[in-house]
Amino acid sequence: MAVTRLAGVPSPARSRIGADRGPAAPGRRSRGGRPRSRVARLLRFAGIVPFVAYFAVFLVVPSVSVVSSAFETVGGNFTWANITAALQGTYLVSFEKSLELSAISAGLSAVLGTVVAIALASTANVAARRVVTSASAVFANTGGLPLAFAFIASLGNFGIVTKVLSAMGWNPYDHGFSIYTLTGLVVVYCYFLLPLMVLVMLPAVDGLRREWFEAASLLGARRRDAWRHVGIPVLAPAFLAALMVLFTDAFAAYATAAALTNGSIPIVPIQIGSLIEGNVLAGQQNVGDALGLGMIVVVAVAATLYARLQHRAARWQR
Amino acid sequence: MGSETGTLEHEAAQRANGRHLDRSGVRVELVECERRFGDVAALDRFSLTIEPGELVALLGPSGCGKTTALRALAGLEQTDAGVVRIGGLDVTGLPPNRRELGMVFQAYSLFPNMTALDNVGFGLRLRKRDAPTRRRRARELLDLVGLAAQAGRFPHELSGGQQQRVALARALAVEPRVLLLDEPLSALDAKVRAQLRDEIRRIQLEMGITTLFVTHDQEEALSMADRVGVMASGRLQQLGPPDEVYERPVNAFVAEFVGSVSRVPATVGAGSTVEVLGGRIPLPDSQAAFAPGRRVDVLLRPESLAVRADPRGLGLVVRRSFLGPVMHVVVALPGKIEVLATLPSSSASEVVVGSAVSVEATGTPLFVTEPRELDA
């Protein structure tokens, strides 16, 4: 009907009326007035297709699979048993160990990394800064088997550093230290977490303005007052956000711990690996998925905190 | 030094007890101060005295040392030599937090994690004033700078001009002995700058606080200051009231830096006169000793040049700028000389770009100096 009535209408009016109805709508034209085809519109999104595909294959599909399997029996029926099993006994201990390991290694690395970042930000030695940041970028991305073997070769029972210290009369293994314990894992994790903290915190520390400290000083503040009232509060959101990143990084690390301790320390990723491989008990893969769901929840909480804190940091450092 | 420091603390204690010091300000002295950065002398035997309650503006090009002088007074920069006195007390070795100064920086000095109210109250918080007292005082000062309604806003929620007002209120909150202004208006747009300039001056006069103001903007310096100091190469070239610096510069640098001038070759004539642009004008009184016949350059203000449309004139108008009641006209003369003249807009209709004009020097030259070739 509409087409029949529009047949004799002059073209400007027709296109105006037609604009409300469909094909010739201004909203479907490009800014220059040329009609935009469906293909052209689809092409606008072509650039993000690889990312979406990657995201779907390596994050969404596995996550959905883990979550659904966590509530299924081996036969595919709904059950709470996997969740219940994951929250008691050895598995609950593994969560406690994982949280302990992640919290200590992330906390230590965060504090020391911030100190290094502050030192780098305040040094006038540009070359030193460049060397340290470059080295940090390399160390922050070193992990897995090579890192584990590097530490075994250096700080293991018969490692070079251990031998040198022994020759000097102080064998760390005689004083309770072992690279194959939770303490040893903390030391190894700090190896890649501390440089990561330096890289993450350096821009935030660079954002501290000299004028804030000078103004505080002229208002009567000592150096520590200025840090207490201005420097630390301004850095706090960035620090806590970076701490979250380190925590999740440590919480999810698997290969280094597996290679170093051979599964003797029951952290969650190692438990999941054992359950999926069926090393301990056959048919327990779904409990592994329940542990995986627990990890997702922990990381999601950390990521939410990170996002909120990052938002506050961005607001202050505009 | 110890007793002097003790006196400062004693004065601070008096203030804390409510026995306020004389609010007419204190005398500030920088004596023979030196500061070098490598081979560059930022301060070269720099001396300056600011009388109680006075506003002195330090003016000069970038790198002349004006900010270093201010930072030396603040204690933010250590001098290599020299003495800094505030209220007669030697504070050279005192850290900034014990000098009892207030400072407004160029920009971005407000604490981003505090509201405007908390920024203003920060100094009082350090002085252990109770929360109601510091909130009341902070609100009074925010009201003084016209920002009472913005007390709860964070710095990033304020405009540049508002941030500088808060910075001024924060500096005044601690009742400083001296107020330091380090180009506080340079990051603001022209309208806000003019408005805030007047406000700063009003508040400074009301409080009678001794103030050192550093700027590269001569209009700001000349309009706000009781005295203007012109600096170059770490040294004070001239210090005096704005009209004196503008009208009676002590050297060619000051003459050329403050205001607009044209440099024109001339010859000293008999009877303390100088022959320039085909005419004869008197030498400045302070420079009457030049020998007759000597070649010199004279520095002439735009208002000391008369430009008339003249088909036989040797000048050629190359630019003109309409400035409301007056017109700026740039005229090219033989010998690659360009002069700037100011004409009433009403009489400049025939002086158009490309037209021939005659140029005549009137009155007394601002300054007479060696020809530029000899300077080089």
Side-chain angles (χ1 to χ4, degrees):
Chain A
M1 280 297 282
V3 174
T4 309
R5 268 191 276 123
L6 288 170
V9 179
S11 58
R14 185 165 56 187
S15 52
R16 193 170 62 248
I17 295 168
D20 298 331
R21 293 181 175 266
R28 297 196 176 185
R29 285 169 176 260
S30 66
R31 212 168 261 182
R34 285 175 290 130
R36 185 182 292 149
S37 70
R38 186 183 295 270
V39 174
R41 273 183 279 131
L42 288 174
L43 280 175
R44 288 176 62 202
F45 298 101
I48 63 168
V49 167
F51 171 75
V52 171
Y54 185 88
F55 185 77
V57 171
F58 292 103
L59 188 67
V60 177
V61 172
S63 299
V64 170
S65 170
V66 164
V67 173
S68 62
S69 298
F71 294 98
E72 287 176 0
T73 61
V74 178
N77 298 318
F78 178 83
T79 180
W80 287 101
N82 302 322
I83 303 294
T84 309
L87 293 175
Q88 61 189 4
T90 314
Y91 301 129
L92 183 61
V93 172
S94 68
F95 267 108
E96 289 170 0
K97 289 285 178 193
S98 271
L99 289 171
E100 186 183 356
L101 170 64
S102 309
I104 294 172
S105 53
L108 266 176
S109 302
V111 171
L112 296 175
T114 302
V115 171
V116 174
I118 290 170
L120 284 181
S122 39
T123 182
N125 190 333
V126 180
R129 178 181 164 126
R130 199 176 297 137
V131 167
V132 175
T133 49
S134 301
S136 296
V138 174
F139 298 149
N141 289 291
T142 305
L145 290 176
L147 182 64
F149 289 132
F151 267 89
I152 290 169
S154 56
L155 272 172
N157 294 37
F158 304 104
I160 294 171
V161 175
T162 308
K163 282 184 175 176
V164 169
L165 290 173
S166 298
M168 294 167 68
W170 192 82
N171 185 335
Y173 283 80
D174 295 338
H175 293 82
F177 174 80
S178 170
I179 198 72
Y180 311 107
T181 60
L182 196 72
T183 309
L185 275 184
V186 168
V187 172
V188 178
Y189 277 26
C190 285
Y191 180 85
F192 58 86
L193 292 178
L194 196 154
L196 180 62
M197 187 67 182
V198 173
L199 294 178
V200 173
M201 280 303 288
L202 195 51
V205 178
D206 279 337
L208 292 175
R209 294 184 181 278
R210 187 182 68 174
E211 288 89 344
W212 297 339
F213 291 90
E214 291 183 346
S217 176
L218 283 159
L219 290 167
R222 291 161 297 182
R223 191 80 184 158
R224 65 171 179 268
D225 295 327
W227 272 104
R228 181 179 153 215
H229 293 293
V230 183
I232 290 174
V234 169
L235 280 184
F239 175 85
L240 292 173
L243 183 64
M244 292 297 114
V245 172
L246 265 58
F247 177 83
T248 53
D249 215 18
F251 193 67
Y254 168 70
T256 309
L260 200 64
T261 65
N262 203 20
S264 62
I265 298 176
I267 58 174
V268 179
I270 290 177
Q271 293 283 27
I272 293 173
S274 299
L275 288 167
I276 289 174
E277 291 166 8
N279 289 346
V280 184
L281 292 168
Q284 291 287 302
Q285 289 90 336
N286 294 61
V287 176
D289 287 324
L291 291 176
L293 175 59
M295 289 189 75
I296 290 174
V297 170
V298 170
V299 171
V301 169
T304 306
L305 278 172
Y306 168 77
R308 295 187 65 169
L309 294 168
Q310 194 60 39
H311 180 73
R312 287 189 69 186
R315 190 183 66 164
W316 280 353
Q317 290 178 355
R318 249 175 230 172
Chain B
M1 179 66 81
S3 62
E4 290 162 352
T5 303
T7 309
L8 271 181
E9 284 165 353
H10 173 66
E11 289 174 1
Q14 282 186 315
R15 286 173 190 224
N17 293 333
R19 292 156 61 193
H20 289 261
L21 296 173
D22 182 8
R23 297 301 305 278
S24 61
V26 294
R27 177 192 294 261
V28 169
E29 295 164 277
L30 291 102
V31 184
E32 299 278 311
C33 288
E34 297 200 16
R35 178 70 172 123
R36 298 191 74 82
F37 296 104
D39 294 336
V40 179
L43 292 179
D44 183 9
R45 297 176 62 202
F46 175 86
S47 294
L48 170 69
T49 299
I50 310 174
E51 298 301 333
E54 187 183 31
L55 192 156
V56 167
L58 281 183
L59 180 64
S62 295
C64 70
K66 56 188 186 297
T67 295
T68 306
L70 178 135
R71 290 175 65 82
L73 174 55
L76 298 172
E77 198 76 64
Q78 285 302 308
T79 51
D80 301 324
V83 176
V84 180
R85 289 196 199 97
I86 297 174
L89 304 174
D90 185 345
V91 297
T92 313
L94 276 188
N97 61 332
R98 293 173 65 191
R99 293 197 181 192
E100 297 186 43
L101 307 172
M103 182 162 167
V104 181
F105 293 78
Q106 194 168 341
Y108 313 118
S109 71
L110 293 185
F111 308 131
N113 56 321
M114 297 181 198
T115 62
L117 191 75
D118 290 338
N119 262 282
V120 177
F122 181 73
L124 300 174
R125 186 178 170 187
L126 292 170
R127 284 160 177 75
K128 311 283 187 210
R129 305 291 164 81
D130 59 82
T133 303
R134 65 173 187 256
R135 273 202 294 274
R136 189 181 62 246
R137 179 66 181 149
R139 284 190 189 284
E140 282 172 9
L141 284 159
L142 283 173
D143 193 36
L144 182 73
V145 297
L147 285 178
Q150 281 77 28
R153 292 196 183 172
F154 282 98
H156 77 267
E157 295 170 321
L158 301 168
S159 69
Q162 288 174 330
Q163 288 187 33
Q164 290 304 78
R165 284 192 174 94
V166 174
L168 177 63
R170 184 179 66 179
L172 295 171
V174 294
E175 298 183 17
R177 294 148 60 87
V178 181
L179 181 62
L180 307 175
L181 306 171
D182 185 10
E183 306 206 36
L185 311 176
S186 63
L188 307 177
D189 64 59
K191 189 177 174 188
V192 177
R193 196 160 61 224
Q195 195 181 10
L196 195 49
R197 189 169 68 197
D198 293 344
E199 282 187 38
I200 289 174
R201 182 59 165 157
R202 172 181 61 83
I203 291 166
Q204 185 267 334
L205 286 171
E206 275 178 19
M207 302 186 88
I209 186 168
T210 307
T211 302
L212 179 61
F213 179 32
V214 160
T215 180
H216 64 267
D217 184 326
Q218 50 184 280
E219 188 185 328
E220 262 171 34
L222 296 173
S223 63
M224 288 178 73
D226 294 307
R227 285 189 298 159
V228 175
V230 183
M231 283 188 73
S233 305
R235 304 195 76 155
L236 199 54
Q237 304 293 312
Q238 184 172 2
L239 178 66
D243 56 338
E244 182 184 301
V245 171
Y246 185 82
E247 290 166 6
R248 295 187 295 281
V250 295
N251 59 34
F253 173 83
V254 175
E256 292 189 285
F257 187 78
V258 180
S260 301
V261 290
S262 300
R263 183 183 272 258
V264 183
T267 306
V268 177
S272 297
T273 61
V274 63
E275 294 166 7
V276 57
L277 297 173
R280 185 186 290 259
I281 55 175
L283 279 169
D285 291 341
S286 58
Q287 296 188 288
F290 278 101
R294 186 168 167 187
R295 288 178 54 79
V296 292
D297 279 354
V298 294
L299 305 179
L300 299 160
R301 290 280 187 218
E303 54 270 27
S304 299
L305 287 165
V307 175
R308 272 185 291 277
D310 180 356
R312 290 178 299 172
L314 297 176
L316 181 71
V317 177
V318 292
R319 280 194 304 281
R320 51 178 238 166
S321 313
F322 178 71
L323 301 173
V326 296
M327 183 89 74
H328 272 180
V329 180
V330 178
V331 179
L333 294 168
K336 296 183 178 175
I337 299 164
E338 279 196 352
V339 295
L340 172 69
T342 302
L343 307 179
S345 295
S346 55
S347 64
S349 57
E350 293 180 7
V351 183
V352 295
V353 173
S355 65
V357 292
S358 61
V359 180
E360 183 187 352
T362 61
T364 306
L366 185 68
F367 200 77
V368 178
T369 183
E370 300 294 332
R372 197 184 283 278
E373 310 85 76
L374 292 179
D375 284 340

